[in-house]
Amino acid sequence: QLQLQESGPGLVKASETLSLTCTVSGGSISSSSYYWGWIRQPPGKGLEWVGSIYHAGSTWYTPSLKRRATISVDTSKNQLSLKLSSVTAADTAVYYCAIVDSNNWFDPWGQGTLVTVSS
Amino acid sequence: EIVLTQSPATLSLSPGERATLSCRASQSVSSYLAWYQLKPGQAPRLLIYDASNRATGIPARFSGSGSGTDFTLTISSLEPEDFAVYYCQHRTNWPAFGQGTRLEIK
């Protein structure tokens, strides 16, 4: 059974780059059976899809974050990563990684990690 | 951009009661709609996909219905562990979620 665990710095300074990793256990991140995604939830707000990565490394991002977000896979470490550049307070959120199925449903998810952007 | 509007924002019910949560899309998403359950400190859980299909391991008291623009998540008889926040999600154009319905104990 696949399990996902997010990790990263809990605090990032404004204008810097947020970097998160998602460690996958119970399976291989390079398996053709899986796609991978990131979703976030700002405090007191709803869920927002950040982006996803598919076979051969093709990526897809929500329009509002397309210029700042980069999702990649490190097969040697069995990890998914998210980099978000030029962060502001609006990027403060719990960030979740998840498996994306072929119909773009998310299951399962990690427990999430809170990232706070400080000024 | 397709916007999902969930109602009510908060639903107060007692264990054993029936819960009906609504999700309305600003334009048709066919049957491409999912429901998720979020609890504090836990991994979100997929409940329903393609509007009416229960995900693996989801109890039968959870059911989904609807197509086009109007969708419903029904919990037939609330258990204590069902009190949580529920989100709907579509995948048309790009994945997007509704703003959530908080199901709280009355």
Side-chain angles (χ1 to χ4, degrees):
Chain A
Q1 181 179 346
L2 281 171
Q3 292 188 313
L4 293 77
Q5 180 64 60
E6 305 87 348
S7 60
L11 192 63
V12 179
K13 292 182 179 179
S15 79
E16 295 187 343
T17 295
L18 177 162
S19 295
L20 296 175
T21 59
C22 172
T23 301
V24 178
S25 59
S28 173
I29 201 167
S30 59
S31 169
S32 60
S33 301
Y34 308 121
Y35 308 137
W36 309 92
W38 288 95
I39 303 101
R40 69 180 185 178
Q41 183 176 28
K45 297 187 178 181
L47 296 169
E48 178 184 31
W49 171 68
V50 174
S52 300
I53 187 165
Y54 302 90
H55 291 161
S58 62
T59 52
W60 188 26
Y61 301 102
T62 195
S64 62
L65 296 177
K66 184 177 181 180
R67 285 184 291 180
R68 297 195 293 126
T70 302
I71 295 174
S72 61
V73 167
D74 186 336
T75 56
S76 67
K77 296 181 179 179
N78 222 34
Q79 289 179 335
L80 172 72
S81 73
L82 169 67
K83 295 187 185 298
L84 189 64
S85 63
S86 304
V87 297
T88 69
D91 296 310
T92 293
V94 175
Y95 286 77
Y96 299 96
C97 59
I99 289 177
V100 186
D101 76 5
S102 58
N103 292 306
N104 283 306
W105 307 132
F106 303 98
D107 181 51
W109 300 49
Q111 290 193 319
T113 187
L114 174 63
V115 178
T116 301
V117 177
S118 66
S119 56
Chain B
E1 178 183 357
I2 298 175
V3 176
L4 296 177
T5 302
Q6 293 186 240
S7 62
T10 302
L11 185 58
S12 299
L13 294 170
S14 300
E17 290 192 293
R18 182 183 186 91
T20 303
L21 287 67
S22 174
C23 178
R24 176 164 291 180
S26 58
Q27 57 186 279
S28 177
V29 296
S30 185
S31 62
Y32 301 132
L33 190 103
W35 291 92
Y36 299 86
Q37 179 190 66
L38 269 73
K39 295 181 180 180
Q42 296 188 19
R45 183 167 67 152
L46 173 67
L47 301 174
I48 302 287
Y49 64 94
D50 293 346
S52 61
N53 295 307
R54 270 191 303 277
T56 302
I58 301 304
R61 64 181 181 273
F62 291 90
S63 63
S65 63
S67 65
T69 60
D70 290 303
F71 300 86
T72 301
L73 173 69
T74 301
I75 310 171
S76 59
S77 179
L78 285 166
E79 298 288 340
E81 62 267 26
D82 298 337
F83 292 92
V85 182
Y86 292 85
Y87 290 89
C88 55
Q89 178 227 329
H90 74 78
R91 63 179 184 92
T92 304
N93 299 330
W94 60 82
F97 296 85
Q99 82 279 18
T101 289
R102 179 177 302 277
L103 179 56
E104 63 178 27
I105 298 177
K106 187 173 182 180

